[in-house]
Amino acid sequence: MSEDARPDLIEILNIAVLEATVRNHRIRRANPAACALFGRPEADVVGLDWEEVTAPDDRERLHAQIRLRMASGRRRERMMVRLLQPDGNLRHALATIVLRTDPDGEEFFVVHLEDVSEEIAAQDRLRLIVENTPVSMFLVDRNGRVLVSEGTVVPEAAAGLREARASSIFTAFAHVPQAMSIMRRALDGQRVHQVIEAFGRHLDVHLVPIPGPGGQVASVASVASDVTDLHLALASLRARSAEQAVVAELGRRALETRDPAELWERAVTALADHLGADLVRAYGLDADGERVHLLAREDRREPEVPTGTQRDPPRSSAGWVTVPVGRPDRPLAVVELHRAPLGGQEHEFVHAVTAVLGSAALRFEMEGEIRHRSLHDGLTGLPNRTALLDHLGRALHRAGHDGRRVGVLFVDLDGFKAVNDTLGHQAGDDLLRTTAARLSHAVRPGDVAGRLAGDEFAVLCEDVEGTADLEAIADRVVSALAAPVPLLDRPITLTGSVGLALSNPDLADAETLLNAADIAMYTAKRNGPGQRLAYDTGMPTPVTANARQKLTRDQLKTSGADGSMLSLR
């Protein structure tokens, strides 16, 4: 191709070409494409020193390259240059420099410039992204040498990758066996995605094997990102979910269980499990807030002596967390944990558990009160007919197994209606309360006294040998009831009729035995007030309860002026 045809071809292809003398580095020729890179018209470019259109930081490097080429005699060189435009902007160009000699014998450079500004800008942007995000990217060859790396996912990891450029990743990261294990798997051809722990952080690592021409893995592309915050957040979420499941389960048990001890045991175990506490205790409190009894305990301390016994640390020592259970103004219990200080979420868990326990404790308290009211007489506090029959049924069941006998006393006050009619219901209520107290003190410690209805009472006596035992108890009851009772500032003497019945094969259930004692009491009342009588099968059955109340207001004898005792006869 002729010399005249060459510039036209270069211009057609829009290839930036210029010539510069070796002697003074001045540009003696530049085509339009080259002038466009310089941001100057051709008239301003020609005659410029080559150093005037390059970045100041590159000039010494250019001088060194020129000296090296001259000394080595190399005729061709490729290097990256930064071109300085009049507005101060820089353009990156890959320069191919060829040393030539013109017909006059003067040496000059023919320089081909390829604009790579966009590529460099893209690399810089990528580097900015990688360097300012918790990500590292690197390429590892088959021998474990890092070919290129960018990013600072963890400073220690970045330093290791730089070291591995000269050595091997297996040397630089030998102290991170988990990382080495997944890298060997990738070099064996496996794609790996795994979260590993390294340098005190959690790193999400992707390793992709890249096969060479023969199909064997030639290198591994790697991306590692710091997911420590995400890992901690997920761990916290999992812990919170587990804690919420525990609280929900405790809530279900609190609604369903009838055994408070089971709920307390489950709660202290859950607190020990989820908080890592070595000692958890729960105590019931009295009305003054004092600990009265241990509700549950979970001790996971190592025993200090061979027998496994050890003293609990004093509550005044460090490490105790104490949380009241129940209403703030009236706690019903207290939970104590011994462990390191709790975090915010752990405190929330403890308070959620104790809130469930508090609601359950209030429920048990209310149910207990309702149960007590349903089984006890509201006026005297004694067990009512339902409770007494339940006690009697269980006593007969036990007696059927051990061959012992059960006795019942049926007590009815003589002339109680006359007291009510003459002195009023308030006096009658006071008399019933006094009767209940005297009855409870007159019987044996293990006997159960109850109020059936009106002025009718009954006493359950277990483990009696025979009728004589019951008669002895009945005599004490009759004597106790006959003592004067002060009512409305006047003493009144009121007697009681007592019927006795002792269990046997024909009187083996609660209702039958109680009814037998009732018949005996009715018969005793017909014999006169203040009598006691044992049941006999020949006794008549009373027609109505009103038949027992034969004493009227006319039978109430008032005292004279001397204050003599009122009596019912």
Side-chain angles (χ1 to χ4, degrees):
M1 182 179 293
S2 66
E3 188 72 21
D4 292 338
R6 190 176 298 115
D8 295 333
L9 182 60
I10 290 174
E11 290 175 6
I12 291 172
L13 296 177
N14 197 29
I15 297 173
V17 177
L18 61 84
E19 293 180 359
T21 62
V22 172
R23 175 174 47 83
N24 55 17
H25 304 159
R26 291 191 177 277
I27 298 173
R28 68 183 191 180
R29 183 180 177 190
N31 70 350
C35 294
L37 279 178
F38 292 124
R40 308 166 192 260
E42 181 179 2
D44 292 342
V45 173
V46 174
L48 288 175
D49 189 310
W50 175 249
E51 295 178 359
E52 294 182 74
V53 292
T54 56
D57 295 343
D58 291 347
R59 290 168 187 169
E60 180 56 36
R61 183 169 59 87
L62 289 172
H63 280 294
Q65 290 289 342
I66 292 172
R67 289 193 296 270
L68 179 62
R69 283 195 298 274
M70 298 300 293
S72 63
R74 290 188 309 200
R75 311 296 291 181
R76 181 185 295 271
E77 184 68 34
R78 286 169 63 89
M79 60 185 299
M80 189 70 67
V81 296
R82 292 183 298 170
L83 305 177
L84 181 63
Q85 296 184 325
D87 58 7
N89 289 326
L90 293 174
R91 303 288 292 180
H92 292 80
L94 178 62
T96 301
I97 304 172
V98 180
L99 182 62
R100 299 291 300 275
T101 304
D102 63 15
D104 297 331
E106 184 176 7
E107 291 185 314
F108 65 96
F109 296 116
V110 178
V111 183
H112 166 222
L113 298 173
E114 181 181 354
D115 189 358
V116 293
S117 298
E118 290 300 323
E119 289 81 354
I120 295 297
Q123 290 181 5
D124 288 342
R125 295 186 190 107
L126 179 60
R127 184 176 294 105
L128 285 174
I129 293 173
V130 174
E131 289 179 352
N132 290 277
T133 55
V135 176
S136 282
M137 297 185 294
F138 52 98
L139 186 66
V140 179
D141 67 12
R142 180 154 191 83
N143 296 319
R145 187 169 65 89
V146 173
L147 302 177
V148 63
S149 66
E150 292 291 346
T152 56
V153 59
V154 177
E156 297 88 343
L161 291 172
R162 288 193 296 270
E163 177 186 338
R165 292 187 181 187
S167 58
S168 165
I169 199 169
F170 297 108
T171 301
F173 294 92
H175 59 290
V176 189
Q178 196 176 13
M180 297 302 92
S181 174
I182 61 174
M183 180 58 71
R184 289 188 178 92
R185 287 164 53 193
L187 289 171
D188 287 339
Q190 297 182 44
R191 293 175 68 98
V192 179
H193 176 206
Q194 185 171 325
V195 176
I196 67 172
E197 294 185 43
F199 312 108
R201 310 291 291 176
H202 288 83
L203 305 180
D204 184 6
V205 181
H206 290 257
L207 302 178
V208 180
I210 301 174
Q216 188 180 28
V217 176
S219 57
V220 173
S222 310
V223 177
S225 56
D226 189 344
V227 293
T228 304
D229 293 342
L230 175 61
H231 180 83
L232 294 177
L234 290 175
S236 175
L237 180 61
R238 286 192 293 269
R240 187 177 292 272
S241 297
E243 291 169 355
Q244 289 174 345
V246 170
V247 173
E249 173 63 13
L250 283 176
R252 183 188 66 79
R253 288 174 180 266
L255 291 174
E256 297 177 355
T257 186
R258 295 185 178 182
D259 182 9
E262 177 187 346
L263 183 65
W264 284 105
E265 290 289 347
R266 181 69 186 89
V268 298
T269 300
L271 289 171
D273 286 343
H274 287 265
L275 300 177
D278 58 7
L279 180 60
V280 183
R281 305 180 303 202
Y283 289 94
L285 303 179
D286 61 15
D288 298 324
E290 298 295 329
R291 293 168 174 81
V292 289
H293 58 278
L294 182 67
L295 297 171
R297 173 187 175 94
E298 184 71 15
D299 190 347
R300 298 184 177 178
R301 295 171 298 167
E302 290 294 330
E304 297 175 351
V305 292
T307 60
T309 59
Q310 57 186 324
R311 295 174 59 87
D312 289 348
R315 287 194 295 268
S316 59
S317 63
W320 279 110
V321 177
T322 303
V323 183
V325 176
R327 291 192 292 264
D329 59 332
R330 190 172 69 88
L332 302 174
V334 64
V335 172
E336 298 175 340
L337 304 96
H338 189 258
R339 58 147 284 173
L342 300 180
Q345 182 174 322
E346 293 173 322
H347 269 294
E348 292 179 11
F349 174 61
V350 173
H351 284 286
V353 170
T354 54
V356 171
L357 292 175
S359 298
L362 291 173
R363 173 208 149 197
F364 292 135
E365 184 182 52
M366 288 187 293
E367 287 181 351
E369 185 175 346
I370 293 171
R371 189 180 304 111
H372 182 273
R373 289 180 179 179
S374 68
L375 297 176
H376 289 77
D377 175 48
L379 178 65
T380 64
L382 294 179
N384 60 17
R385 182 184 183 90
T386 301
L388 195 64
L389 285 173
D390 180 66
H391 282 295
L392 184 53
R394 286 188 277 116
L396 288 169
H397 180 74
R398 289 191 295 269
H401 285 82
D402 57 22
R404 298 181 180 182
R405 303 181 73 180
V406 177
V408 172
L409 305 181
F410 199 110
V411 182
D412 184 273
L413 299 181
D414 299 321
F416 176 73
K417 185 175 185 301
V419 174
N420 259 349
D421 292 346
T422 304
L423 303 179
H425 288 285
Q426 181 62 51
D429 289 347
D430 291 343
L431 180 58
L432 290 174
R433 281 191 285 265
T434 301
T435 300
R438 289 181 175 182
L439 197 59
S440 298
H441 285 90
V443 299
R444 301 175 305 174
D447 297 336
V448 179
R451 183 187 178 197
L452 300 176
D455 60 337
E456 295 177 347
F457 296 83
V459 179
L460 162 63
C461 305
E462 288 193 73
D463 193 19
V464 292
E465 296 292 337
T467 304
D469 288 346
L470 275 183
E471 289 175 341
I473 300 170
D475 288 340
R476 291 199 299 271
V477 169
V478 171
S479 177
L481 295 181
V485 180
L487 292 176
L488 299 179
D489 298 325
R490 292 182 294 178
I492 293 179
T493 299
L494 192 68
T495 59
S497 298
V498 181
L500 296 68
L502 191 62
S503 65
N504 59 46
D506 294 327
L507 302 175
D509 68 84
E511 286 282 1
T512 302
L513 185 59
L514 183 62
N515 187 56
D518 186 9
I519 293 172
M521 183 278 302
Y522 173 69
T523 304
K525 186 178 287 288
R526 293 182 64 183
N527 294 337
Q531 301 292 315
R532 52 99 172 148
L533 190 63
Y535 172 75
D536 183 87
T537 55
M539 290 179 173
T541 303
V543 179
T544 63
N546 289 333
R548 304 173 197 148
Q549 298 291 350
K550 296 181 181 296
L551 295 178
T552 64
R553 183 178 303 142
D554 296 334
Q555 296 172 289
L556 185 62
K557 308 299 182 180
T558 59
S559 64
D562 59 354
S564 60
M565 184 181 302
L566 286 171
S567 63
L568 291 172
R569 300 188 185 278

PDB file of all heavy atoms in Angstrom, residues 320-337:
ATOM      1  N   TRP A 320     -28.169 -12.575  90.319  1.00  0.00           N
ATOM      2  CA  TRP A 320     -29.573 -12.918  90.540  1.00  0.00           C
ATOM      3  C   TRP A 320     -30.474 -11.952  89.785  1.00  0.00           C
ATOM      4  O   TRP A 320     -30.266 -10.747  89.782  1.00  0.00           O
ATOM      5  CB  TRP A 320     -29.931 -12.871  92.022  1.00  0.00           C
ATOM      6  CG  TRP A 320     -29.531 -14.086  92.795  1.00  0.00           C
ATOM      7  CD1 TRP A 320     -28.548 -14.173  93.740  1.00  0.00           C
ATOM      8  CD2 TRP A 320     -30.088 -15.391  92.699  1.00  0.00           C
ATOM      9  NE1 TRP A 320     -28.463 -15.444  94.234  1.00  0.00           N
ATOM     10  CE2 TRP A 320     -29.407 -16.225  93.611  1.00  0.00           C
ATOM     11  CE3 TRP A 320     -31.104 -15.952  91.935  1.00  0.00           C
ATOM     12  CZ2 TRP A 320     -29.692 -17.565  93.775  1.00  0.00           C
ATOM     13  CZ3 TRP A 320     -31.401 -17.293  92.089  1.00  0.00           C
ATOM     14  CH2 TRP A 320     -30.701 -18.080  93.002  1.00  0.00           C
ATOM     15  N   VAL A 321     -31.486 -12.500  89.134  1.00  0.00           N
ATOM     16  CA  VAL A 321     -32.546 -11.717  88.511  1.00  0.00           C
ATOM     17  C   VAL A 321     -33.854 -12.146  89.158  1.00  0.00           C
ATOM     18  O   VAL A 321     -34.191 -13.334  89.162  1.00  0.00           O
ATOM     19  CB  VAL A 321     -32.615 -11.948  86.990  1.00  0.00           C
ATOM     20  CG1 VAL A 321     -33.771 -11.170  86.378  1.00  0.00           C
ATOM     21  CG2 VAL A 321     -31.300 -11.545  86.337  1.00  0.00           C
ATOM     22  N   THR A 322     -34.576 -11.202  89.753  1.00  0.00           N
ATOM     23  CA  THR A 322     -35.806 -11.506  90.478  1.00  0.00           C
ATOM     24  C   THR A 322     -36.983 -10.814  89.797  1.00  0.00           C
ATOM     25  O   THR A 322     -36.930  -9.605  89.555  1.00  0.00           O
ATOM     26  CB  THR A 322     -35.704 -11.044  91.942  1.00  0.00           C
ATOM     27  OG1 THR A 322     -34.575 -11.681  92.549  1.00  0.00           O
ATOM     28  CG2 THR A 322     -36.957 -11.421  92.715  1.00  0.00           C
ATOM     29  N   VAL A 323     -38.028 -11.594  89.471  1.00  0.00           N
ATOM     30  CA  VAL A 323     -39.199 -11.058  88.776  1.00  0.00           C
ATOM     31  C   VAL A 323     -40.450 -11.466  89.548  1.00  0.00           C
ATOM     32  O   VAL A 323     -40.678 -12.661  89.771  1.00  0.00           O
ATOM     33  CB  VAL A 323     -39.287 -11.586  87.334  1.00  0.00           C
ATOM     34  CG1 VAL A 323     -40.471 -10.956  86.607  1.00  0.00           C
ATOM     35  CG2 VAL A 323     -37.999 -11.292  86.588  1.00  0.00           C
ATOM     36  N   PRO A 324     -41.275 -10.489  89.986  1.00  0.00           N
ATOM     37  CA  PRO A 324     -42.524 -10.842  90.690  1.00  0.00           C
ATOM     38  C   PRO A 324     -43.549 -11.415  89.722  1.00  0.00           C
ATOM     39  O   PRO A 324     -43.541 -11.107  88.525  1.00  0.00           O
ATOM     40  CB  PRO A 324     -42.989  -9.508  91.275  1.00  0.00           C
ATOM     41  CG  PRO A 324     -42.383  -8.478  90.380  1.00  0.00           C
ATOM     42  CD  PRO A 324     -41.076  -9.032  89.902  1.00  0.00           C
ATOM     43  N   VAL A 325     -44.452 -12.236  90.248  1.00  0.00           N
ATOM     44  CA  VAL A 325     -45.504 -12.876  89.454  1.00  0.00           C
ATOM     45  C   VAL A 325     -46.851 -12.473  90.032  1.00  0.00           C
ATOM     46  O   VAL A 325     -47.074 -12.592  91.240  1.00  0.00           O
ATOM     47  CB  VAL A 325     -45.352 -14.405  89.468  1.00  0.00           C
ATOM     48  CG1 VAL A 325     -46.506 -15.066  88.714  1.00  0.00           C
ATOM     49  CG2 VAL A 325     -44.018 -14.823  88.876  1.00  0.00           C
ATOM     50  N   GLY A 326     -47.752 -12.002  89.180  1.00  0.00           N
ATOM     51  CA  GLY A 326     -49.065 -11.571  89.647  1.00  0.00           C
ATOM     52  C   GLY A 326     -49.241 -10.081  89.445  1.00  0.00           C
ATOM     53  O   GLY A 326     -48.463  -9.417  88.756  1.00  0.00           O
ATOM     54  N   ARG A 327     -50.276  -9.536  90.065  1.00  0.00           N
ATOM     55  CA  ARG A 327     -50.523  -8.104  89.931  1.00  0.00           C
ATOM     56  C   ARG A 327     -49.414  -7.302  90.602  1.00  0.00           C
ATOM     57  O   ARG A 327     -48.877  -7.721  91.626  1.00  0.00           O
ATOM     58  CB  ARG A 327     -51.880  -7.743  90.550  1.00  0.00           C
ATOM     59  CG  ARG A 327     -53.065  -8.298  89.770  1.00  0.00           C
ATOM     60  CD  ARG A 327     -54.356  -7.657  90.252  1.00  0.00           C
ATOM     61  NE  ARG A 327     -54.682  -8.065  91.598  1.00  0.00           N
ATOM     62  CZ  ARG A 327     -55.514  -9.055  91.901  1.00  0.00           C
ATOM     63  NH1 ARG A 327     -56.080  -9.755  90.922  1.00  0.00           N
ATOM     64  NH2 ARG A 327     -55.785  -9.365  93.147  1.00  0.00           N
ATOM     65  N   PRO A 328     -49.068  -6.134  90.026  1.00  0.00           N
ATOM     66  CA  PRO A 328     -47.980  -5.336  90.619  1.00  0.00           C
ATOM     67  C   PRO A 328     -48.233  -4.977  92.074  1.00  0.00           C
ATOM     68  O   PRO A 328     -47.296  -4.931  92.875  1.00  0.00           O
ATOM     69  CB  PRO A 328     -47.947  -4.080  89.724  1.00  0.00           C
ATOM     70  CG  PRO A 328     -48.555  -4.512  88.429  1.00  0.00           C
ATOM     71  CD  PRO A 328     -49.591  -5.532  88.784  1.00  0.00           C
ATOM     72  N   ASP A 329     -49.498  -4.722  92.425  1.00  0.00           N
ATOM     73  CA  ASP A 329     -49.805  -4.327  93.795  1.00  0.00           C
ATOM     74  C   ASP A 329     -49.954  -5.515  94.736  1.00  0.00           C
ATOM     75  O   ASP A 329     -49.972  -5.346  95.955  1.00  0.00           O
ATOM     76  CB  ASP A 329     -51.090  -3.491  93.828  1.00  0.00           C
ATOM     77  CG  ASP A 329     -52.280  -4.269  93.268  1.00  0.00           C
ATOM     78  OD1 ASP A 329     -52.051  -5.159  92.421  1.00  0.00           O
ATOM     79  OD2 ASP A 329     -53.418  -3.999  93.673  1.00  0.00           O
ATOM     80  N   ARG A 330     -50.063  -6.731  94.151  1.00  0.00           N
ATOM     81  CA  ARG A 330     -50.211  -7.902  95.006  1.00  0.00           C
ATOM     82  C   ARG A 330     -49.593  -9.116  94.317  1.00  0.00           C
ATOM     83  O   ARG A 330     -50.294  -9.967  93.771  1.00  0.00           O
ATOM     84  CB  ARG A 330     -51.680  -8.167  95.326  1.00  0.00           C
ATOM     85  CG  ARG A 330     -51.886  -9.227  96.418  1.00  0.00           C
ATOM     86  CD  ARG A 330     -53.344  -9.304  96.824  1.00  0.00           C
ATOM     87  NE  ARG A 330     -54.175  -9.845  95.785  1.00  0.00           N
ATOM     88  CZ  ARG A 330     -54.413 -11.163  95.622  1.00  0.00           C
ATOM     89  NH1 ARG A 330     -53.832 -12.034  96.424  1.00  0.00           N
ATOM     90  NH2 ARG A 330     -55.213 -11.583  94.680  1.00  0.00           N
ATOM     91  N   PRO A 331     -48.263  -9.209  94.311  1.00  0.00           N
ATOM     92  CA  PRO A 331     -47.634 -10.381  93.692  1.00  0.00           C
ATOM     93  C   PRO A 331     -47.973 -11.650  94.465  1.00  0.00           C
ATOM     94  O   PRO A 331     -48.030 -11.650  95.691  1.00  0.00           O
ATOM     95  CB  PRO A 331     -46.140 -10.057  93.757  1.00  0.00           C
ATOM     96  CG  PRO A 331     -46.002  -9.051  94.827  1.00  0.00           C
ATOM     97  CD  PRO A 331     -47.276  -8.255  94.844  1.00  0.00           C
ATOM     98  N   LEU A 332     -48.209 -12.714  93.729  1.00  0.00           N
ATOM     99  CA  LEU A 332     -48.557 -13.998  94.322  1.00  0.00           C
ATOM    100  C   LEU A 332     -47.356 -14.927  94.443  1.00  0.00           C
ATOM    101  O   LEU A 332     -47.389 -15.889  95.212  1.00  0.00           O
ATOM    102  CB  LEU A 332     -49.637 -14.683  93.476  1.00  0.00           C
ATOM    103  CG  LEU A 332     -50.928 -13.894  93.281  1.00  0.00           C
ATOM    104  CD1 LEU A 332     -51.845 -14.617  92.311  1.00  0.00           C
ATOM    105  CD2 LEU A 332     -51.620 -13.678  94.620  1.00  0.00           C
ATOM    106  N   ALA A 333     -46.325 -14.643  93.656  1.00  0.00           N
ATOM    107  CA  ALA A 333     -45.131 -15.491  93.653  1.00  0.00           C
ATOM    108  C   ALA A 333     -43.959 -14.672  93.146  1.00  0.00           C
ATOM    109  O   ALA A 333     -44.115 -13.512  92.734  1.00  0.00           O
ATOM    110  CB  ALA A 333     -45.352 -16.727  92.787  1.00  0.00           C
ATOM    111  N   VAL A 334     -42.780 -15.273  93.156  1.00  0.00           N
ATOM    112  CA  VAL A 334     -41.584 -14.618  92.646  1.00  0.00           C
ATOM    113  C   VAL A 334     -40.714 -15.676  91.963  1.00  0.00           C
ATOM    114  O   VAL A 334     -40.638 -16.821  92.416  1.00  0.00           O
ATOM    115  CB  VAL A 334     -40.798 -13.918  93.782  1.00  0.00           C
ATOM    116  CG1 VAL A 334     -40.272 -14.928  94.788  1.00  0.00           C
ATOM    117  CG2 VAL A 334     -39.665 -13.080  93.219  1.00  0.00           C
ATOM    118  N   VAL A 335     -40.125 -15.289  90.829  1.00  0.00           N
ATOM    119  CA  VAL A 335     -39.211 -16.161  90.094  1.00  0.00           C
ATOM    120  C   VAL A 335     -37.814 -15.577  90.198  1.00  0.00           C
ATOM    121  O   VAL A 335     -37.614 -14.382  89.970  1.00  0.00           O
ATOM    122  CB  VAL A 335     -39.625 -16.297  88.615  1.00  0.00           C
ATOM    123  CG1 VAL A 335     -38.561 -17.043  87.827  1.00  0.00           C
ATOM    124  CG2 VAL A 335     -40.954 -17.019  88.500  1.00  0.00           C
ATOM    125  N   GLU A 336     -36.840 -16.426  90.532  1.00  0.00           N
ATOM    126  CA  GLU A 336     -35.450 -16.003  90.688  1.00  0.00           C
ATOM    127  C   GLU A 336     -34.569 -16.824  89.751  1.00  0.00           C
ATOM    128  O   GLU A 336     -34.691 -18.048  89.687  1.00  0.00           O
ATOM    129  CB  GLU A 336     -34.991 -16.207  92.131  1.00  0.00           C
ATOM    130  CG  GLU A 336     -35.778 -15.390  93.142  1.00  0.00           C
ATOM    131  CD  GLU A 336     -35.389 -15.714  94.577  1.00  0.00           C
ATOM    132  OE1 GLU A 336     -34.800 -16.803  94.814  1.00  0.00           O
ATOM    133  OE2 GLU A 336     -35.683 -14.899  95.459  1.00  0.00           O
ATOM    134  N   LEU A 337     -33.696 -16.118  88.995  1.00  0.00           N
ATOM    135  CA  LEU A 337     -32.763 -16.772  88.085  1.00  0.00           C
ATOM    136  C   LEU A 337     -31.347 -16.385  88.465  1.00  0.00           C
ATOM    137  O   LEU A 337     -31.085 -15.222  88.792  1.00  0.00           O
ATOM    138  CB  LEU A 337     -33.003 -16.360  86.630  1.00  0.00           C
ATOM    139  CG  LEU A 337     -34.386 -16.557  86.032  1.00  0.00           C
ATOM    140  CD1 LEU A 337     -35.188 -15.278  86.132  1.00  0.00           C
ATOM    141  CD2 LEU A 337     -34.272 -16.969  84.580  1.00  0.00           C
TER     142      LEU A 337
END
